[in-house]
């Protein structure tokens, strides 16, 4: 294994560790790290999407076994987000003749979604409390809002590889305030797998995929997730979340400007 490959494996280990410990941060961190390594935005997004689909698939199996997934909600979310992902991929394919334009669109989209993800992570508990307090009243989101949010999530995930995690969870908090946390997390993961898989395969069909890079990332992330999951709760959430949010804000700002 050369130095570059070793670096990708270490990156996978670090991101996997953070995901295992906090439950968030996978796509939010991996794509910017790949950009830092000099990977083109389109290839970074495409590779990270399949990386996310594979790593989250095991989570679906565990959550399904523990009956932590509301398959009806997962179905409605998928019905909105997957077609939106397909439409976004079609749009990116129309920019195929201008690689610089496609990369510029992805980079700016990545900056916006990183900032939104940072805010979602930072104010997660407050949003959850607000949703629970106003469940059923005039602040409760309607079915139309659900459709709109799932479409937006699909667009964000396809364009940047980010959004299926932190933003998807926050959307579920607002849409289904009575859903217990363990089922909310399981449902979000179950929704993320087909979404990231479709988006990832779409990017692969456009050539935005580095298969050897994907292998090195998985080589590091799988043991990283295992180690991180055993440290869950050892470090206060009130410390982890602001640190992660601050890091994402800085990365988003740097990409935008």
């Amino acid at each position: 294994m050369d130095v570059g490959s070793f670096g990708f494996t270490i990156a996978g280990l670090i991101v996997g560790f953070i995901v295992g410990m906090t439950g968030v941060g996978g796509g939010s961190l991996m794509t910017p790290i790949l950009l830092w390594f000099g990977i083109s935005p389109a290839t970074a997004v495409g590779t990270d999407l399949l990386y996310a689909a594979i790593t989250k698939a095991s989570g679906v199996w565990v959550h399904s076994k523990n009956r932590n997934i509301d398959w009806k909600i997962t179905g409605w979310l998928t019905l909105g987000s997957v077609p939106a992902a397909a439409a976004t991929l079609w749009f990116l394919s129309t920019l195929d003749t201008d690689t610089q334009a496609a990369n510029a669109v992805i980079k700016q989209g990545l900056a916006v979604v990183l900032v939104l993800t940072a805010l979602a992570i930072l104010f997660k508990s407050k949003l959850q409390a607000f949703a629970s307090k106003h469940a059923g009243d005039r602040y409760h989101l309607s079915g139309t809002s659900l459709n709109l949010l799932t479409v937006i999530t699909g667009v964000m995930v396809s364009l940047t590889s980010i959004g299926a995690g932190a933003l998807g969870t926050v959307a579920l908090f607002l849409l289904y305030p009575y859903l217990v946390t363990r089922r909310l997390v399981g449902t979000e993961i179950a929704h993320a797998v087909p979404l990231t898989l479709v988006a990832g395969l779409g990017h692969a069909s456009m050539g935005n995929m580095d298969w050897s890079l994907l292998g090195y990332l998985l080589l590091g992330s799988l043991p990283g997730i295992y180690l991180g999951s055993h440290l869950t709760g050892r470090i206060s959430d009130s410390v982890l979340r602001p640190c992660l949010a601050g890091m994402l804000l800085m990365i988003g700002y740097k990409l935008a400007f």
Side-chain angles (χ1 to χ4, degrees), residues 199-216:
L201 291 175
H203 275 280
S205 70
M206 293 189 289
N208 300 335
M209 178 63 60
D210 188 323
W211 296 101
S212 60
L213 171 59
L214 176 63
Y216 290 125

Side-chain angles (χ1 to χ4, degrees), residues 18-72:
I18 293 173
V19 171
M21 191 165 55
T22 67
V24 295
S28 310
L29 291 174
M30 185 57 78
T31 301
I33 287 173
L34 293 180
L35 294 179
W36 182 75
F37 271 108
I39 305 298
S40 72
T43 301
V45 168
T47 304
D48 188 26
L49 282 165
L50 272 190
Y51 163 80
I54 293 170
T55 53
K56 289 189 176 186
S58 59
V60 172
W61 181 79
V62 174
H63 280 289
S64 178
K65 187 177 178 182
N66 294 327
R67 298 183 179 180
N68 290 340
I69 299 175
D70 188 315
W71 290 106
K72 183 179 178 181

Side-chain angles (χ1 to χ4, degrees), residues 13 41 45 53 75 77 84 90 106 109 118 138 141 148 163 172-173 187 197 202 222 250 256:
L13 179 67
V45 168
L77 291 171
W90 173 83
I106 292 172
R138 63 193 179 92
L141 297 177
L148 180 61
L172 285 176
F173 276 139
T187 300
L197 181 61
L222 296 178
M250 286 190 292

